[in-house]
Amino acid sequence: MEERRYYQKEIETMPVEELKKLQSEKLVKQVRHVYDNVPYYRALMEEKGVTPDDIRGIEDLHKLPFLTKADLRDAYPYGLLAKPLSECVRIQSTSGTTGRRVVAFYTQHDVDLWEDCCARAIVAAGGTNEDVCQVAYGYGLFTGGPGLNGGSHRVGCLTLPMSSGNTERQIQFMTDLSATILCCTPSYAAYIGETLKEKGMGPDDIPLKAGIFGAEPWTEEMRHNIEETLGIKAYDIYGLTETSGPGVSFECAEQTGMHINEDHFLAEIIDPDTGEVLPEGSKGELVFTALDKEAFPLLRYRTRDICVLTRKPCSCGRTHIKMSKPMGRSDDMMIIRGVNVFPSQIETVLLNEGYQPNYQIVVDRENNTDTFDVLVEMNPDQVIDTVRGVAALEKSLANAMKTMLGINPSVHLVAPKSITRSEGKAVRVIDKRKLV
Ligand code: ADP
Ligand code: ZN
């Protein structure tokens, strides 16, 4: 049997009861730290009538108030800082997918624990000091590049800090310098695969064996697609700037969910409408409490990501709870003609029907009715020489989407490569209704 490898074995395989005890100890200290140092959160606790003495362990977590993205905006930039700036060594910021940037602060301790989390993810994907790790997430304020870069160093991989973009050079360095692990967004991985194909290259022409892809939602279908074009095993990784960055959770070889690094991040699932804590196995909004971050220690932060938590034993030997792939953010969800629609549903249909995940959803409102258009790129090898031929394909795709969503989009097949490619997070939705 293949030897099971971990980056921090004792913690990653810690018996659950012991893990919960550790979480309780850390939580009690953390609540005191935040109460004493963050007036913004202390006021929220006072409003709820709760003091640090009321929190004796993780069973009391539910007594604490939530934090939301709106709080982060209110408190911008220093309002949630819990350490003097002189003790902070780094600032990162969200990518602003939902238009509102958040800045987060890190002490050296915070950077260390974040990089440890990324190192756990790299080792879980098979990484060792024999690997060359090509980091093609953006570097800079965005957490993707710096996080995986730090993790790669900790594992002892030879790190190739490419950042995103310049796809030709990515491919050249990947082959010249024998990169074995690729880290980037799944949409950029798909684009690299597409570029390889155009160059007449296949999986056997590149040395990659694994990919660590995250920072945006992607479907199982997209995973298979990337695994096939790049000839790798593709692992999911999740995180958000508010909690540190990528590495809050990561996939192991079983690939049935992402283990949350529970010694640092305590997870709950709540009903997004009522705030009620839901039992394990329920679908709802993911909420995180940072247990030992010093500078920016958010308690009960509502991520708006919708997913399910499970603690079924995992064949990898890790004991940490697993989260399902987020099926989109609660604010990614579009309500079109009263029906909830997630971009991931459209992506699933496209990949099932043999198309690439190159699409854009345009929603608008005409005469008080929502219009719902989906632009889909034809495959480069698809030859359709009649207008009627195109219309038939569009109709059949629209029918497949109707079956998935319950409402009928207008599908428009467009020329290959006419939808702008993303080197970071993909822009899938243009909702013109918000502009009115
Ligand atoms: P922004 O909110 O500006 O995108 P971040 O760059 O911090 O800020 O992105 C964090 C968000 O990205 C998460 O809340 C989640 O919605 C999304 N995300 C990150 N990793 C994944 C993943 N593996 N699968 C799905 N969504 C992800
Ligand atoms: Zn596992």
Side-chain angles (χ1 to χ4, degrees):
M1 202 183 106
E2 198 186 326
E3 195 205 342
R4 288 172 172 174
R5 295 192 67 261
Y6 312 97
Y7 178 67
Q8 289 166 312
K9 181 165 185 230
E10 201 188 319
I11 288 170
E12 293 179 67
T13 62
M14 185 176 264
V16 174
E17 282 317 307
E18 228 176 287
L19 189 60
K20 289 191 171 167
K21 207 167 140 251
L22 178 70
Q23 288 180 319
S24 285
E25 284 164 14
K26 287 188 178 186
L27 179 69
V28 169
K29 272 198 213 145
Q30 186 72 311
V31 172
R32 172 62 67 187
H33 169 58
V34 173
Y35 187 84
D36 289 346
N37 294 289
V38 185
Y40 189 98
Y41 197 76
R42 184 166 58 235
L44 291 179
M45 283 176 68
E46 278 163 1
E47 211 175 285
K48 238 189 144 200
V50 48
T51 69
D53 292 336
D54 298 320
I55 310 299
R56 290 199 213 103
I58 53 175
E59 63 287 356
D60 295 322
L61 183 66
H62 67 97
K63 296 180 183 162
L64 291 170
F66 290 117
L67 274 174
T68 63
K69 197 115 172 173
D71 289 311
L72 267 59
R73 212 170 46 232
D74 272 2
Y76 176 93
Y78 301 125
L80 289 160
L81 190 64
K83 280 279 180 186
L85 284 174
S86 57
E87 287 184 42
C88 297
V89 298
R90 179 88 68 80
I91 293 176
Q92 304 278 172
S93 166
T94 59
S95 51
T97 309
T98 50
R100 301 172 295 235
R101 283 184 189 268
V102 164
V103 287
F105 301 85
Y106 305 69
T107 60
Q108 185 57 51
H109 160 94
D110 297 339
V111 173
D112 289 343
L113 81 81
W114 174 28
E115 292 183 354
D116 279 344
C117 289
C118 291
R120 290 180 194 174
I122 293 172
V123 172
T128 70
N129 59 356
E130 302 291 329
D131 282 293
V132 176
C133 184
Q134 177 163 353
V135 183
Y137 282 109
Y139 280 65
L141 284 171
F142 176 54
T143 52
L148 269 306
N149 191 95
S152 173
H153 273 235
R154 276 173 192 250
V155 176
C157 300
L158 178 56
T159 310
L160 196 52
M162 296 294 292
S163 196
S164 59
N166 201 336
T167 310
E168 290 287 329
R169 193 177 59 194
Q170 299 275 359
I171 293 172
Q172 192 188 340
F173 273 25
M174 179 185 291
T175 46
D176 291 355
L177 302 172
S178 297
T180 48
I181 299 177
L182 174 67
C183 307
C184 60
T185 57
S187 49
Y188 194 47
Y191 181 43
I192 292 178
E194 195 182 354
T195 313
L196 269 179
K197 260 194 192 160
E198 274 169 25
K199 296 166 82 68
M201 294 167 74
D204 295 340
D205 301 311
I206 52 169
L208 287 185
K209 64 173 190 193
I212 303 178
F213 307 130
E216 64 182 3
W218 52 312
T219 55
E220 278 305 318
E221 291 79 4
M222 189 153 166
R223 189 209 301 266
H224 296 143
N225 201 274
I226 294 172
E227 287 187 332
E228 220 164 87
T229 28
L230 297 180
I232 59 172
K233 187 155 169 148
Y235 295 83
D236 204 352
I237 185 168
Y238 167 93
L240 58 166
T241 313
E242 294 90 322
T243 54
S244 60
V248 168
S249 67
F250 61 91
E251 263 183 349
C252 61
E254 194 180 281
Q255 298 194 315
T256 51
M258 294 180 270
H259 289 285
I260 295 174
N261 283 311
E262 281 190 283
D263 51 325
H264 299 305
F265 306 105
L266 181 53
E268 300 169 273
I269 290 285
I270 61 160
D271 178 325
D273 296 323
T274 63
E276 183 200 348
V277 179
L278 300 177
E280 188 192 314
S282 322
K283 187 166 94 182
E285 182 179 346
L286 187 56
V287 174
F288 279 117
T289 295
L291 288 171
D292 47 10
K293 279 177 61 196
E294 296 176 337
F296 200 65
L298 302 189
L299 305 184
R300 298 198 90 199
Y301 179 66
R302 294 184 57 160
T303 63
R304 297 153 306 137
D305 291 325
I306 303 293
C307 73
V308 177
L309 297 180
T310 38
R311 204 188 280 284
K312 288 201 195 92
C314 187
S315 61
C316 75
R318 289 178 182 80
T319 49
H320 294 202
I321 203 163
K322 283 198 271 193
M323 58 181 271
S324 63
K325 261 182 184 306
M327 57 169 302
R329 319 178 172 204
S330 48
D331 55 6
D332 239 12
M333 188 184 78
M334 299 166 282
I335 301 181
I336 306 177
R337 295 175 211 147
V339 175
N340 298 350
V341 176
F342 283 96
S344 59
Q345 295 173 301
I346 308 256
E347 189 172 302
T348 299
V349 172
L350 290 180
L351 287 152
N352 283 341
E353 299 289 315
Y355 290 84
Q356 296 298 309
N358 297 319
Y359 65 97
Q360 202 149 51
I361 301 162
V362 185
V363 192
D364 205 348
R365 186 159 286 175
E366 274 170 28
N367 304 324
N368 298 319
T369 307
D370 292 334
T371 59
F372 175 24
D373 294 272
V374 185
L375 309 180
V376 179
E377 279 186 12
M378 281 185 268
N379 291 324
D381 50 3
Q382 215 171 6
V383 188
I384 315 154
D385 42 16
T386 62
V387 173
R388 203 178 289 165
V390 174
L393 286 174
E394 288 174 341
K395 177 127 207 345
S396 113
L397 252 187
N399 284 341
M401 287 181 196
K402 165 114 203 273
T403 310
M404 167 72 91
L405 307 169
I407 54 166
N408 216 340
S410 300
V411 172
H412 310 272
L413 284 175
V414 297
K417 307 218 82 172
S418 58
I419 295 174
T420 315
R421 296 292 183 275
S422 161
E423 292 164 353
K425 300 194 190 208
V427 180
R428 302 296 195 195
V429 180
I430 300 177
D431 193 340
K432 298 185 178 167
R433 295 175 300 183
K434 288 184 188 144
L435 303 177
V436 235

